[in-house]
Every structure is written in C-alpha cells, then in structure tokens.
Amino acid sequence: MQPTLSIIVPVYNVVDLIDATLQGVLTQDFADFELILVDDGSTDGTRDLLEGYCRRDARIRLISQKNAGPAVARNTGIAAAAGRYILFLDSDDTLVEGALSQIAQKLNEHPCDMLIFGFRIINVSGGTNFLYTYPDTYLAGKADLSAHFGPLYQSNLLNQVWNKAYRAEFLQKSGCRFADYRYGEDRLFVFDLLPRCETIHISDLCLYNYFIRSKESLVSKFYDKKFEVCNLFDRSIRAFIDDYAITDSDSLQEINYMYLKSILSCETNLFLPSCPYSRKEKKATLKAILTNDQVRAAVARYLPRGFVMNTVVRIFRTESVFWNRWMAWAISFISRHFSTAFIKAKHPEAKAVKA
C-alpha cells in the first residue's frame, strides 16, 4: 500500500546526532510514512546504527552509496520514494512533535504541488531561538504567486528544501533534481521547481527544528564554489522575476538585498578557519568578486535600507580589497564569537524567542 509520506534523509558521519533525528520521526503520532535513509559513505559507525534501526522498524529503508554529497543523496532518495508526498529532513535536525499529522492534515484539506511551513532555528551555543513563519495562504496560479512572492521571499521560507512537502507525482514528472553542489543546491532546486507549481499552500505552523551546532556553521563551512552558486542562483531568480512579471519595487529591492547578503557571505567564506587559501589567493578572489558584472549591477541597484547593509554596500562600492578584507574578517569573527547578535543582524525578519 502506498504510504502518504516519503521522508528522505541524506546521512553522512552523524553517529552522535542522528538518534534524535530518527526518534523525532519514529515517535510521531502519524505512522503512514516510509523513512528513506541514504547513507552517503559514512565511516564513523553511522551505517551500523542505521542498520539496527532498519531491523527494528519496517518503515525504514536504508540505501548505501559512495560519498557524493547531499545533493546526490537526495536525488537517490527521490528515485526510491514511493509515497504520495516527499519531505526532506537533514540528519542533524528534528521535526516537532505532531508535525507529520499536521502536514498530512494540511495536504488532505488543501491538495497542492508544494506545501510550505514554518521552522525554528535553534542556536545550540546561544540562548535565543528564531522563528520563521508566514500567514496561512493558498496560492492557485501564477498571479497568486506573483502577489505573495516578495513578502514570502523576505520571510526566508523559500530558500530551504526541508520546510516543504512536495507532491511526488508532480516532482517526478518535473524532472527537477538537485545540482551537484555542496552549497546552495537546495535553493537552486526550490527555484527550479517553484515556477512549475500550479498550487502552493503556505501553512503558518512551525514544524521543523533547524540546529546551528557549531560557530562556523553560522556562515557555513568553506566552499570553493560558493560565489559560482550565488551567481547561478541570482540568475535563476531573475529569470523567475521576468517570467512572472514581478515589478513591485519593494520586492525587487528585497531580492537585490538578499543577493548582496550572499555576496557578503562569499567574502566571509574566505576568512573561515577551514579556508585553505593563501593570503594572495584570498586577495585575488576578493578582487574577482568585487569586479564581477553581476555584483557591480546589484551594487548599482541598491537603495539604502539600514545602517549595517548601507555600510557593507559602501565598502563594496570602493572595490578595495583592503577594506573588504577587513570587513569580511570582522564579520567572520563576530559570527563565531557573538552568534546570537550575528543571527539577529543576518535575519532581522525572524522572531526571536528565548530557548
């Protein structure tokens, strides 16, 4: 019998964390699901742990593959999924209690190609959590999505792959799959799929817990293709804007602002402890970012919107490697040592709540 939900979890070397993730699924009050665990070549005992879970619960399916990254692992899960709807869950995050029953209820009440729900960022090293939600809304067609796109994007609910449920038949027929990157592949996937959706339901429920467990993860681990992915995503979203004829100035400025934030993260990426570049390589990379045509165009479009970002863009405009290097180093330092303040500055739209 076809399960209602297929939950896909890419797994790699998380033997100390995945128990909470799996227990959070298996103890849900909704049981009509299959849990697809894609072991991406773990070497720390994770696979043995997963095999033990498989022996105890018939709803779990374990697929093993050579290490290829989360994008390939998720694509493997999509190919194997048998449920009516597909969800993605990261192996160090959790679903809130009752999440699956509420997702199933929403999908039953409002059948759709994509269900979007809220999430909570839990900062393990800090005392403040952050909530991201959007009013309950049903979007039927291009006009509805165009009208809500700006504020929905500003609410930070579009970029993630794991705060959504996807109608499996729609996803399979779309041909959309995760690009083989180790950063930003989720955003590229969502924005490849989004314009193909005929119906989208946005739930105001907060159903997913995303954990920030290390100081470096606040700005992500170093990735040498980060700037490439950010520009690729910007081109993708601008094609979406053109296709949907989005002309609202506030929405366009928000999109431009989000791109410039991603460019700032490309700069700070160079000053993470895991960055292997020499001083000379960092300077050359900064220069290439600052003189890139897409970056220059975004800087030219920018309208003032707050002291912090105004200062960042002023420094961008100088195209000075010296000043941008010091700015990026300072932000990287703050992110690691003052995590709560950093999250508040990075996501001012989020609702802060005590842990």
Side-chain angles (χ1 to χ4, degrees), residues 130-314:
F130 296 85
L131 302 181
Y132 296 81
T133 59
Y134 193 83
D136 202 88
T137 309
Y138 190 76
L139 308 179
K142 195 170 183 177
D144 283 352
L145 180 55
S146 296
H148 286 270
F149 178 78
L152 186 58
Y153 187 64
Q154 186 175 6
S155 298
N156 195 34
L157 292 179
L158 294 182
N159 291 334
Q160 304 78 15
V161 68
W162 33 253
N163 69 322
K164 299 170 179 69
Y166 312 84
R167 188 166 62 84
E169 183 180 9
F170 160 71
L171 177 54
Q172 299 287 4
K173 287 183 177 179
S174 74
C176 295
R177 295 297 182 268
F178 290 89
D180 190 12
Y181 291 107
R182 301 201 179 205
Y183 167 84
E185 78 287 346
D186 45 359
R187 285 185 288 173
L188 293 171
F189 174 82
V190 170
F191 274 85
D192 192 15
L193 200 59
L194 196 63
R196 305 169 194 259
C197 294
E198 294 185 3
T199 52
I200 299 171
H201 181 63
I202 307 161
S203 169
D204 59 359
L205 298 172
C206 184
L207 302 177
Y208 191 99
N209 295 321
Y210 174 82
F211 288 88
I212 294 177
R213 299 183 184 276
S214 69
K215 294 175 180 179
E216 187 164 314
S217 69
L218 289 168
V219 285
S220 79
K221 294 180 180 179
F222 174 78
Y223 184 50
D224 61 344
K225 295 183 179 179
K226 188 168 188 177
F227 183 56
E228 175 187 333
V229 175
C230 287
N231 276 353
L232 184 61
F233 178 68
D234 184 58
R235 290 194 292 272
S236 173
I237 196 171
R238 295 213 164 271
F240 178 87
I241 290 168
D242 291 342
D243 186 45
Y244 276 68
I246 296 172
T247 58
D248 177 69
S249 59
D250 289 341
S251 296
L252 294 176
Q253 276 300 310
E254 180 63 27
I255 291 163
N256 196 57
Y257 165 73
M258 294 291 283
Y259 172 64
L260 288 172
K261 280 209 305 184
S262 76
I263 296 307
L264 179 60
S265 75
C266 291
E267 290 196 354
T268 59
N269 184 51
L270 299 171
F271 297 91
L272 296 174
S274 55
C275 177
Y277 288 2
S278 67
R279 183 183 179 92
K280 184 177 180 180
E281 288 172 322
K282 290 178 182 180
K283 290 174 66 175
T285 304
L286 277 173
K287 190 66 176 178
I289 291 172
L290 293 167
T291 57
N292 178 268
D293 288 342
Q294 264 179 267
V295 175
R296 283 174 166 169
V299 168
R301 287 191 298 263
Y302 177 79
L303 296 178
R305 59 171 295 153
F307 174 78
V308 174
M309 199 60 186
N310 290 350
T311 302
V312 168
V313 174
R314 286 192 191 101

Side-chain angles (χ1 to χ4, degrees), residues 45-85:
T46 294
R47 181 174 174 175
D48 292 339
L49 180 67
L50 300 183
E51 288 175 344
Y53 271 98
C54 286
R55 289 191 292 268
R56 296 192 296 270
D57 197 311
R59 295 172 298 179
I60 302 176
R61 297 166 60 192
L62 174 60
I63 302 172
S64 296
Q65 63 181 34
K66 292 182 179 180
N67 180 250
V72 176
R74 289 185 183 126
N75 289 338
T76 298
I78 291 172
R84 290 174 48 231
Y85 288 89

Side-chain angles (χ1 to χ4, degrees), residues 6-81:
S6 291
I7 305 167
I8 298 170
V9 187
V11 181
Y12 178 70
N13 286 356
V14 283
V15 70
D16 294 329
L17 296 172
I18 198 167
D19 268 317
T21 301
L22 298 182
Q23 287 299 323
V25 175
L26 299 175
T27 58
Q28 293 276 320
D29 58 2
F30 180 86
D32 187 21
F33 65 83
E34 63 171 356
L35 181 58
I36 301 175
L37 307 176
V38 184
D39 178 47
D40 191 34
S42 295
T43 59
D44 67 341
T46 294
R47 181 174 174 175
D48 292 339
L49 180 67
L50 300 183
E51 288 175 344
Y53 271 98
C54 286
R55 289 191 292 268
R56 296 192 296 270
D57 197 311
R59 295 172 298 179
I60 302 176
R61 297 166 60 192
L62 174 60
I63 302 172
S64 296
Q65 63 181 34
K66 292 182 179 180
N67 180 250
V72 176
R74 289 185 183 126
N75 289 338
T76 298
I78 291 172

